[in-house]
Amino acid sequence: MTNEQSASARQAPVTVVGLGPMGLALAGALRGRGHRTTVWNRTPGKADRLVATGVRRAATVAEAVSASPVTIMCLKDYETMYEVFGSAGDALRGRVLVNLNSGTPKEAHAAAGWAAERGVSYLDGAIMVPPPMVGHPGSVFLYSGSREVFDEHRPTLASMGDPRYLGSDPGLAVLYNTALLEMMYATINGYLHATAMAGSAGVPAVEFAELAIGWFLPAVLGPMLAEEAPVLDKGEYPGDLGTLEMNLNALDHIARTAQEQGVQTDQPRLMREIAARAIADGHGGKNYLAVFEVFKHQAR
């Protein structure tokens, strides 16, 4: 491949469907790296800031898919994918869909079959970083499914982060995703519960974090939790980059994946229950750290 061909591949047209916080970050990163980017969202106004930077807003899903060889979707779940793309009709045939929704391996297999019936090349995937990290070279994105599709479109995928191919089984990306997210949630829950225990003796979260994070927490979560320690003392949990409601969706996928795979489900079910309790207490629009409010008090 010549340098000119390589540059052309890196800047291939791409469509993004779904403009929540993560979808906005994906489209912004792709546009920032020179891709002619088209977007569609059920609430069109979410694209306003992107349009101001040169991103094209499609009026329909069919128009969005037709604008690019590759469509990257970042929707709530697989059911939403079927609802959204059901109206695209023949516009899907011969295109590539890259699914960055969350769900379970069983759902990923069903989605791959759905795509094949419509003549669509399909990759399932998972994003392992928060929205502000999208576009950074070291930000890990997981993919599984067709190796040929992955290799052909790797330059586009690399514009969003570090693409890791896991294998031809389309369920592997979401399986890895749920397994790794369970580690993350369990670690955060342990830290927040420990902080609540120390706080019961009047120890501020900031003071406890100095020892707890340096002693135990890994490099990935440690800096983030250290930065957020003052938030715990203030009891302020802004949900701009992701709400507890969104996290409950991921926790539900973890619990269902454990059940599908035939492994013990008590831990993921408990984590889901804790998040649901925080939402019931009025924290659904806040970020995940709001479960700290649950840990600070005995169950009533």
Side-chain angles (χ1 to χ4, degrees):
M1 180 180 287
T2 67
N3 290 338
E4 184 177 341
Q5 289 172 322
S6 178
S8 176
R10 285 196 302 269
Q11 298 174 351
V14 63
T15 290
V16 177
V17 169
L19 296 178
M22 187 62 77
L24 288 169
L26 295 172
L30 289 162
R31 172 59 183 163
R33 279 153 185 77
H35 295 272
R36 191 178 71 207
T37 306
T38 301
V39 297
W40 182 89
N41 193 73
R42 285 190 280 198
T43 305
K46 286 194 174 182
D48 288 349
R49 281 186 293 173
L50 290 170
V51 171
T53 68
V55 169
R56 177 175 173 245
R57 174 168 37 206
T60 66
V61 175
E63 180 186 334
V65 170
S66 299
S68 312
V70 178
T71 292
I72 294 165
M73 67 183 92
C74 191
L75 301 167
K76 178 184 177 182
D77 51 29
Y78 290 87
E79 285 304 314
T80 306
M81 178 191 78
Y82 298 136
E83 292 172 14
V84 167
F85 287 94
S87 64
D90 289 341
L92 287 171
R93 188 166 298 277
R95 306 286 174 170
V96 174
L97 288 182
V98 179
N99 189 352
L100 297 178
N101 305 342
S102 61
T104 72
K106 184 177 179 180
E107 289 174 323
H109 281 278
W114 172 90
E117 289 172 1
R118 288 157 178 78
V120 177
S121 297
Y122 181 83
L123 272 182
D124 213 275
I127 306 167
M128 304 310 298
V129 294
M133 294 299 295
V134 169
H136 291 243
S139 295
V140 173
F141 283 61
L142 307 177
Y143 298 97
S144 59
S146 167
R147 178 84 208 207
E148 182 181 355
V149 172
F150 175 81
D151 287 342
E152 181 180 355
H153 298 285
R154 181 171 187 148
T156 296
L157 302 178
S159 291
M160 299 183 292
D162 177 12
R164 307 283 185 92
Y165 180 73
L166 301 176
S168 60
D169 180 343
L172 281 175
V174 292
L175 179 61
Y176 269 69
N177 179 53
T178 52
L180 293 169
L181 286 181
E182 182 178 10
M183 287 178 59
M184 181 193 75
Y185 284 117
T187 301
I188 292 175
N189 280 6
Y191 166 72
L192 292 177
H193 193 272
T195 302
M197 288 178 64
S200 69
V203 178
V206 171
E207 182 177 330
F208 181 69
E210 290 180 8
L211 177 59
I213 291 173
W215 171 71
F216 174 72
L217 284 171
V220 174
L221 286 177
M224 182 272 285
L225 292 177
E227 184 178 342
E228 297 294 337
V231 167
L232 303 182
D233 288 326
K234 294 176 183 177
E236 299 174 356
Y237 314 99
D240 300 352
L241 298 179
T243 65
L244 198 47
E245 293 274 10
M246 294 169 59
N247 282 273
L248 181 63
N249 188 51
L251 287 162
D252 182 61
H253 293 155
I254 293 169
R256 289 197 289 117
T257 296
Q259 185 173 10
E260 281 183 15
Q261 299 299 115
V263 300
Q264 219 264 2
T265 61
D266 286 359
Q267 175 166 287
R269 287 168 57 197
L270 176 59
M271 293 193 295
R272 182 176 61 187
E273 178 186 325
I274 290 167
R277 194 180 311 162
I279 291 170
D281 288 345
H283 303 297
K286 301 174 184 177
N287 68 46
Y288 185 78
L289 295 182
V291 300
F292 186 54
E293 299 301 316
V294 173
F295 290 140
K296 288 195 295 185
H297 308 287
Q298 288 188 21
R300 294 182 291 278

